[in-house]
Amino acid sequence: MNRALVLLLSLTCGISVGNIYFPQAISPLVATGLGVPVDAAAMVATAVQFGYSIGIFLLVPLGDRVPHRLLITSLLAITGLGLLAAAAAPALPPLVAASALIGTTNVIAPLISPFAAGLAGERRRGAVIGTLLSGSIGGMLLSRAFGGSLGEWLGWRAPYLVSAALVLIVAVVLACALPSTEPPSAQRYPALLGESLRLLRTEPELRRSCFYQAMVFGSFTAVWTGVALLLTSPVYGLGAPAVGALAVVGAATMVCTPIAGRQADRRGPDAVNLVCTIGTITSAALLAVGSFGGAVGLVSLVLGTLVLDVAMQSGMVANQVRIYALRPEARSRLNTAYMTCAYLGGSAGSWLGVRAFAHFGWPGVCGLVVLLSGSALAGLLLSMRRRGAGAAV
C-alpha cells in the first residue's frame, strides 16, 4: 500500500461519491427543466441514496469473493452507462429509475475501503481509511459545487454527462493500475449475503457502529436535502450554485478525517464517536438560526454545515476502525452490513428532511437532526456506561 496507490484510490472514491451527492444541488433545476414540483424532483436524490443502500447490500459482499480489480472496474463501467441514461431521461420517472441504478452500481468507495484496509498495516489502518474518506469528502463537496454551477450554466443534464466521462476514464485507469488480489472467501453468493446478516446479528460492536452512523448520516442527508430547498426559497432567493458554494465550505473536513483516524487508532473509536455526536447536536443549534435569513442566517448555515460535515465524516472513520478489527477475513461483509444500515439511515433522513421542511419549515429539519443525533448520543453513553461498569467489576 504505497502512497501513490492510496492517492489513486482516494481520487476514485471522490469521483464515485460525487455521483451520489451532486443531484442534491440540482434538484431545483430538475424541477424547472422537467416541469415538476420541487419536492417531487427531490426524489431523484432520494432514489440515488436508496439505490446505494441496495447496492451495498447486494454487491459489496462480492468484494470477499471476486477479485477487486474486476469487480470495481465493471461496476464503474455500468455506473457510467447509468449516468448517460439519466442525462437522456425525458421525464421524472425515467430519471428516478436511472438514479436508482446509478446508486446501486456506484458502490465503489465501500469496496475500496475494506480492500485498502487489508493492504494497510494495522497501525496505519485508521490513517489510510481517513485518507480515503478525505477523497470521498472532496468528491461530495466539489460535486455539489460542480453540479450546481454547471447545471445553472448548461442545464441539469450537463453534470450527468461530465460525471459519466470521468467515471469511464477512471475505470480504464484502474483496470491497469490496481494490483491483482486473491479473494479471501470461496462462499457462494447466497451464503455471502446471508453472512452479512449473520454478522449483524452476532457482532454487537457492528450493530453499535451501524446505529451511530445511521442516525448521524440521517441527520446529514436531512440537512443537505433541506438546505437546497431553503436557499432557493423566498427566505434567501438564491440559485442552485449557492448550494454548491455552501458545500465547498466543508472542505476543511478533508483535513479532519485523517486526524480522526489517527485519534481512533490512539484513543479508540468511542472517544471519537462521542465528540462527533455532540458536534452533530451542536450543528443543529447553529443551523436553526438560518431560518431568519439575511447575512446572519447565511453565516449560521456555513458554520452549522461545517460542524455537521466534520462530525459525520469523523464518526464514519471511527466506526470503520471499530468494525474492521472484528473479522479480518470478512471485511467486505462487515462493511456491507455497516454501509447498508448507514445509507438506509441516509435515505430515511433525506425523505424525512423533505417532509419536515414541507410541514414545519427549516426549524423542523433542525429538530429532526436533534432527534436523530440525540438518539445516537444516548446509545453511545449507555454503552460507555456499561463498559465502565464491566471494567469496574
Side-chain angles (χ1 to χ4, degrees), residues 81-108:
L81 296 176
L83 289 162
L84 292 174
L92 184 61
L95 178 58
V96 171
S99 298
L101 172 65
I102 293 165
T104 302
T105 59
N106 193 48
V107 289
I108 309 305

PDB file of all heavy atoms in Angstrom, residues 81-108:
ATOM      1  N   LEU A  81     -22.646   4.148 -17.729  1.00  0.00           N
ATOM      2  CA  LEU A  81     -23.790   3.999 -18.630  1.00  0.00           C
ATOM      3  C   LEU A  81     -25.076   4.504 -17.971  1.00  0.00           C
ATOM      4  O   LEU A  81     -25.933   5.105 -18.630  1.00  0.00           O
ATOM      5  CB  LEU A  81     -23.943   2.534 -19.031  1.00  0.00           C
ATOM      6  CG  LEU A  81     -22.786   1.939 -19.848  1.00  0.00           C
ATOM      7  CD1 LEU A  81     -23.028   0.455 -20.104  1.00  0.00           C
ATOM      8  CD2 LEU A  81     -22.620   2.691 -21.165  1.00  0.00           C
ATOM      9  N   GLY A  82     -25.213   4.274 -16.662  1.00  0.00           N
ATOM     10  CA  GLY A  82     -26.385   4.782 -15.950  1.00  0.00           C
ATOM     11  C   GLY A  82     -26.437   6.299 -15.937  1.00  0.00           C
ATOM     12  O   GLY A  82     -27.503   6.901 -16.067  1.00  0.00           O
ATOM     13  N   LEU A  83     -25.280   6.943 -15.795  1.00  0.00           N
ATOM     14  CA  LEU A  83     -25.233   8.402 -15.832  1.00  0.00           C
ATOM     15  C   LEU A  83     -25.626   8.939 -17.205  1.00  0.00           C
ATOM     16  O   LEU A  83     -26.323   9.957 -17.314  1.00  0.00           O
ATOM     17  CB  LEU A  83     -23.825   8.880 -15.461  1.00  0.00           C
ATOM     18  CG  LEU A  83     -23.435   8.713 -13.989  1.00  0.00           C
ATOM     19  CD1 LEU A  83     -21.928   8.799 -13.810  1.00  0.00           C
ATOM     20  CD2 LEU A  83     -24.137   9.753 -13.122  1.00  0.00           C
ATOM     21  N   LEU A  84     -25.218   8.252 -18.254  1.00  0.00           N
ATOM     22  CA  LEU A  84     -25.634   8.653 -19.609  1.00  0.00           C
ATOM     23  C   LEU A  84     -27.143   8.502 -19.775  1.00  0.00           C
ATOM     24  O   LEU A  84     -27.790   9.356 -20.399  1.00  0.00           O
ATOM     25  CB  LEU A  84     -24.895   7.814 -20.651  1.00  0.00           C
ATOM     26  CG  LEU A  84     -23.383   8.058 -20.767  1.00  0.00           C
ATOM     27  CD1 LEU A  84     -22.765   7.057 -21.739  1.00  0.00           C
ATOM     28  CD2 LEU A  84     -23.096   9.490 -21.224  1.00  0.00           C
ATOM     29  N   ALA A  85     -27.707   7.437 -19.217  1.00  0.00           N
ATOM     30  CA  ALA A  85     -29.157   7.243 -19.288  1.00  0.00           C
ATOM     31  C   ALA A  85     -29.893   8.339 -18.534  1.00  0.00           C
ATOM     32  O   ALA A  85     -30.944   8.836 -18.990  1.00  0.00           O
ATOM     33  CB  ALA A  85     -29.526   5.868 -18.735  1.00  0.00           C
ATOM     34  N   ALA A  86     -29.369   8.749 -17.375  1.00  0.00           N
ATOM     35  CA  ALA A  86     -30.002   9.832 -16.612  1.00  0.00           C
ATOM     36  C   ALA A  86     -29.967  11.135 -17.396  1.00  0.00           C
ATOM     37  O   ALA A  86     -30.940  11.900 -17.405  1.00  0.00           O
ATOM     38  CB  ALA A  86     -29.301   9.996 -15.270  1.00  0.00           C
ATOM     39  N   ALA A  87     -28.851  11.408 -18.067  1.00  0.00           N
ATOM     40  CA  ALA A  87     -28.738  12.644 -18.848  1.00  0.00           C
ATOM     41  C   ALA A  87     -29.754  12.684 -19.981  1.00  0.00           C
ATOM     42  O   ALA A  87     -30.176  13.770 -20.393  1.00  0.00           O
ATOM     43  CB  ALA A  87     -27.321  12.767 -19.415  1.00  0.00           C
ATOM     44  N   ALA A  88     -30.148  11.516 -20.486  1.00  0.00           N
ATOM     45  CA  ALA A  88     -31.083  11.462 -21.611  1.00  0.00           C
ATOM     46  C   ALA A  88     -32.538  11.296 -21.174  1.00  0.00           C
ATOM     47  O   ALA A  88     -33.427  11.203 -22.031  1.00  0.00           O
ATOM     48  CB  ALA A  88     -30.697  10.308 -22.539  1.00  0.00           C
ATOM     49  N   ALA A  89     -32.805  11.262 -19.850  1.00  0.00           N
ATOM     50  CA  ALA A  89     -34.162  10.994 -19.367  1.00  0.00           C
ATOM     51  C   ALA A  89     -35.131  12.083 -19.831  1.00  0.00           C
ATOM     52  O   ALA A  89     -34.881  13.272 -19.606  1.00  0.00           O
ATOM     53  CB  ALA A  89     -34.165  10.904 -17.845  1.00  0.00           C
ATOM     54  N   PRO A  90     -36.266  11.698 -20.446  1.00  0.00           N
ATOM     55  CA  PRO A  90     -37.213  12.694 -20.944  1.00  0.00           C
ATOM     56  C   PRO A  90     -38.208  13.189 -19.892  1.00  0.00           C
ATOM     57  O   PRO A  90     -38.907  14.180 -20.118  1.00  0.00           O
ATOM     58  CB  PRO A  90     -37.954  11.940 -22.058  1.00  0.00           C
ATOM     59  CG  PRO A  90     -37.927  10.516 -21.603  1.00  0.00           C
ATOM     60  CD  PRO A  90     -36.631  10.331 -20.854  1.00  0.00           C
ATOM     61  N   ALA A  91     -38.314  12.484 -18.765  1.00  0.00           N
ATOM     62  CA  ALA A  91     -39.288  12.834 -17.739  1.00  0.00           C
ATOM     63  C   ALA A  91     -38.762  12.390 -16.382  1.00  0.00           C
ATOM     64  O   ALA A  91     -37.724  11.711 -16.282  1.00  0.00           O
ATOM     65  CB  ALA A  91     -40.635  12.177 -18.037  1.00  0.00           C
ATOM     66  N   LEU A  92     -39.501  12.743 -15.326  1.00  0.00           N
ATOM     67  CA  LEU A  92     -39.034  12.432 -13.980  1.00  0.00           C
ATOM     68  C   LEU A  92     -38.985  10.933 -13.680  1.00  0.00           C
ATOM     69  O   LEU A  92     -37.981  10.472 -13.120  1.00  0.00           O
ATOM     70  CB  LEU A  92     -39.909  13.156 -12.947  1.00  0.00           C
ATOM     71  CG  LEU A  92     -39.468  12.992 -11.484  1.00  0.00           C
ATOM     72  CD1 LEU A  92     -38.065  13.555 -11.269  1.00  0.00           C
ATOM     73  CD2 LEU A  92     -40.466  13.674 -10.544  1.00  0.00           C
ATOM     74  N   PRO A  93     -39.997  10.125 -14.009  1.00  0.00           N
ATOM     75  CA  PRO A  93     -39.913   8.692 -13.673  1.00  0.00           C
ATOM     76  C   PRO A  93     -38.686   7.987 -14.250  1.00  0.00           C
ATOM     77  O   PRO A  93     -38.002   7.253 -13.511  1.00  0.00           O
ATOM     78  CB  PRO A  93     -41.226   8.121 -14.227  1.00  0.00           C
ATOM     79  CG  PRO A  93     -42.179   9.267 -14.183  1.00  0.00           C
ATOM     80  CD  PRO A  93     -41.345  10.476 -14.523  1.00  0.00           C
ATOM     81  N   PRO A  94     -38.334   8.165 -15.543  1.00  0.00           N
ATOM     82  CA  PRO A  94     -37.098   7.535 -16.029  1.00  0.00           C
ATOM     83  C   PRO A  94     -35.848   8.057 -15.326  1.00  0.00           C
ATOM     84  O   PRO A  94     -34.901   7.298 -15.109  1.00  0.00           O
ATOM     85  CB  PRO A  94     -37.072   7.894 -17.522  1.00  0.00           C
ATOM     86  CG  PRO A  94     -38.469   8.231 -17.877  1.00  0.00           C
ATOM     87  CD  PRO A  94     -39.066   8.828 -16.643  1.00  0.00           C
ATOM     88  N   LEU A  95     -35.846   9.332 -14.955  1.00  0.00           N
ATOM     89  CA  LEU A  95     -34.697   9.893 -14.246  1.00  0.00           C
ATOM     90  C   LEU A  95     -34.555   9.268 -12.863  1.00  0.00           C
ATOM     91  O   LEU A  95     -33.453   8.940 -12.425  1.00  0.00           O
ATOM     92  CB  LEU A  95     -34.834  11.412 -14.131  1.00  0.00           C
ATOM     93  CG  LEU A  95     -33.731  12.134 -13.360  1.00  0.00           C
ATOM     94  CD1 LEU A  95     -32.357  11.861 -13.983  1.00  0.00           C
ATOM     95  CD2 LEU A  95     -34.002  13.639 -13.312  1.00  0.00           C
ATOM     96  N   VAL A  96     -35.674   9.079 -12.167  1.00  0.00           N
ATOM     97  CA  VAL A  96     -35.638   8.436 -10.856  1.00  0.00           C
ATOM     98  C   VAL A  96     -35.145   6.997 -10.983  1.00  0.00           C
ATOM     99  O   VAL A  96     -34.333   6.523 -10.180  1.00  0.00           O
ATOM    100  CB  VAL A  96     -37.031   8.488 -10.189  1.00  0.00           C
ATOM    101  CG1 VAL A  96     -37.064   7.622  -8.934  1.00  0.00           C
ATOM    102  CG2 VAL A  96     -37.395   9.927  -9.839  1.00  0.00           C
ATOM    103  N   ALA A  97     -35.614   6.291 -12.026  1.00  0.00           N
ATOM    104  CA  ALA A  97     -35.174   4.909 -12.239  1.00  0.00           C
ATOM    105  C   ALA A  97     -33.679   4.847 -12.543  1.00  0.00           C
ATOM    106  O   ALA A  97     -32.951   4.000 -11.996  1.00  0.00           O
ATOM    107  CB  ALA A  97     -35.972   4.276 -13.376  1.00  0.00           C
ATOM    108  N   ALA A  98     -33.197   5.742 -13.409  1.00  0.00           N
ATOM    109  CA  ALA A  98     -31.769   5.772 -13.720  1.00  0.00           C
ATOM    110  C   ALA A  98     -30.957   6.132 -12.486  1.00  0.00           C
ATOM    111  O   ALA A  98     -29.858   5.599 -12.264  1.00  0.00           O
ATOM    112  CB  ALA A  98     -31.496   6.767 -14.850  1.00  0.00           C
ATOM    113  N   SER A  99     -31.488   7.032 -11.658  1.00  0.00           N
ATOM    114  CA  SER A  99     -30.786   7.417 -10.431  1.00  0.00           C
ATOM    115  C   SER A  99     -30.654   6.233  -9.480  1.00  0.00           C
ATOM    116  O   SER A  99     -29.610   6.054  -8.829  1.00  0.00           O
ATOM    117  CB  SER A  99     -31.530   8.563  -9.741  1.00  0.00           C
ATOM    118  OG  SER A  99     -31.576   9.710 -10.568  1.00  0.00           O
ATOM    119  N   ALA A 100     -31.704   5.427  -9.390  1.00  0.00           N
ATOM    120  CA  ALA A 100     -31.631   4.232  -8.543  1.00  0.00           C
ATOM    121  C   ALA A 100     -30.572   3.264  -9.058  1.00  0.00           C
ATOM    122  O   ALA A 100     -29.834   2.652  -8.278  1.00  0.00           O
ATOM    123  CB  ALA A 100     -32.996   3.553  -8.479  1.00  0.00           C
ATOM    124  N   LEU A 101     -30.475   3.113 -10.400  1.00  0.00           N
ATOM    125  CA  LEU A 101     -29.449   2.260 -10.983  1.00  0.00           C
ATOM    126  C   LEU A 101     -28.053   2.797 -10.681  1.00  0.00           C
ATOM    127  O   LEU A 101     -27.148   2.039 -10.309  1.00  0.00           O
ATOM    128  CB  LEU A 101     -29.649   2.145 -12.493  1.00  0.00           C
ATOM    129  CG  LEU A 101     -28.526   1.438 -13.268  1.00  0.00           C
ATOM    130  CD1 LEU A 101     -28.421  -0.027 -12.852  1.00  0.00           C
ATOM    131  CD2 LEU A 101     -28.748   1.564 -14.773  1.00  0.00           C
ATOM    132  N   ILE A 102     -27.872   4.104 -10.833  1.00  0.00           N
ATOM    133  CA  ILE A 102     -26.573   4.724 -10.538  1.00  0.00           C
ATOM    134  C   ILE A 102     -26.173   4.448  -9.097  1.00  0.00           C
ATOM    135  O   ILE A 102     -25.037   4.052  -8.806  1.00  0.00           O
ATOM    136  CB  ILE A 102     -26.630   6.237 -10.814  1.00  0.00           C
ATOM    137  CG1 ILE A 102     -26.792   6.515 -12.310  1.00  0.00           C
ATOM    138  CG2 ILE A 102     -25.384   6.933 -10.273  1.00  0.00           C
ATOM    139  CD1 ILE A 102     -27.214   7.932 -12.623  1.00  0.00           C
ATOM    140  N   GLY A 103     -27.107   4.662  -8.177  1.00  0.00           N
ATOM    141  CA  GLY A 103     -26.796   4.414  -6.775  1.00  0.00           C
ATOM    142  C   GLY A 103     -26.440   2.962  -6.508  1.00  0.00           C
ATOM    143  O   GLY A 103     -25.524   2.660  -5.746  1.00  0.00           O
ATOM    144  N   THR A 104     -27.149   2.045  -7.169  1.00  0.00           N
ATOM    145  CA  THR A 104     -26.932   0.614  -6.925  1.00  0.00           C
ATOM    146  C   THR A 104     -25.544   0.165  -7.349  1.00  0.00           C
ATOM    147  O   THR A 104     -24.877  -0.595  -6.635  1.00  0.00           O
ATOM    148  CB  THR A 104     -27.998  -0.207  -7.664  1.00  0.00           C
ATOM    149  OG1 THR A 104     -29.306   0.188  -7.215  1.00  0.00           O
ATOM    150  CG2 THR A 104     -27.812  -1.696  -7.407  1.00  0.00           C
ATOM    151  N   THR A 105     -25.086   0.615  -8.510  1.00  0.00           N
ATOM    152  CA  THR A 105     -23.787   0.149  -9.021  1.00  0.00           C
ATOM    153  C   THR A 105     -22.620   1.031  -8.597  1.00  0.00           C
ATOM    154  O   THR A 105     -21.463   0.656  -8.812  1.00  0.00           O
ATOM    155  CB  THR A 105     -23.819   0.081 -10.554  1.00  0.00           C
ATOM    156  OG1 THR A 105     -24.122   1.381 -11.093  1.00  0.00           O
ATOM    157  CG2 THR A 105     -24.871  -0.909 -11.024  1.00  0.00           C
ATOM    158  N   ASN A 106     -22.913   2.162  -7.975  1.00  0.00           N
ATOM    159  CA  ASN A 106     -21.876   3.137  -7.635  1.00  0.00           C
ATOM    160  C   ASN A 106     -21.275   2.883  -6.247  1.00  0.00           C
ATOM    161  O   ASN A 106     -20.957   3.816  -5.520  1.00  0.00           O
ATOM    162  CB  ASN A 106     -22.479   4.550  -7.708  1.00  0.00           C
ATOM    163  CG  ASN A 106     -21.413   5.624  -7.687  1.00  0.00           C
ATOM    164  OD1 ASN A 106     -20.440   5.562  -8.418  1.00  0.00           O
ATOM    165  ND2 ASN A 106     -21.594   6.616  -6.836  1.00  0.00           N
ATOM    166  N   VAL A 107     -21.128   1.621  -5.872  1.00  0.00           N
ATOM    167  CA  VAL A 107     -20.675   1.263  -4.524  1.00  0.00           C
ATOM    168  C   VAL A 107     -19.159   1.059  -4.510  1.00  0.00           C
ATOM    169  O   VAL A 107     -18.643   0.131  -3.887  1.00  0.00           O
ATOM    170  CB  VAL A 107     -21.411  -0.004  -4.027  1.00  0.00           C
ATOM    171  CG1 VAL A 107     -22.856   0.314  -3.739  1.00  0.00           C
ATOM    172  CG2 VAL A 107     -21.289  -1.143  -5.045  1.00  0.00           C
ATOM    173  N   ILE A 108     -18.452   1.931  -5.177  1.00  0.00           N
ATOM    174  CA  ILE A 108     -17.005   1.790  -5.322  1.00  0.00           C
ATOM    175  C   ILE A 108     -16.284   2.077  -4.002  1.00  0.00           C
ATOM    176  O   ILE A 108     -15.392   1.329  -3.596  1.00  0.00           O
ATOM    177  CB  ILE A 108     -16.489   2.722  -6.434  1.00  0.00           C
ATOM    178  CG1 ILE A 108     -17.298   2.523  -7.723  1.00  0.00           C
ATOM    179  CG2 ILE A 108     -15.006   2.504  -6.664  1.00  0.00           C
ATOM    180  CD1 ILE A 108     -17.336   1.109  -8.218  1.00  0.00           C
TER     181      ILE A 108
END
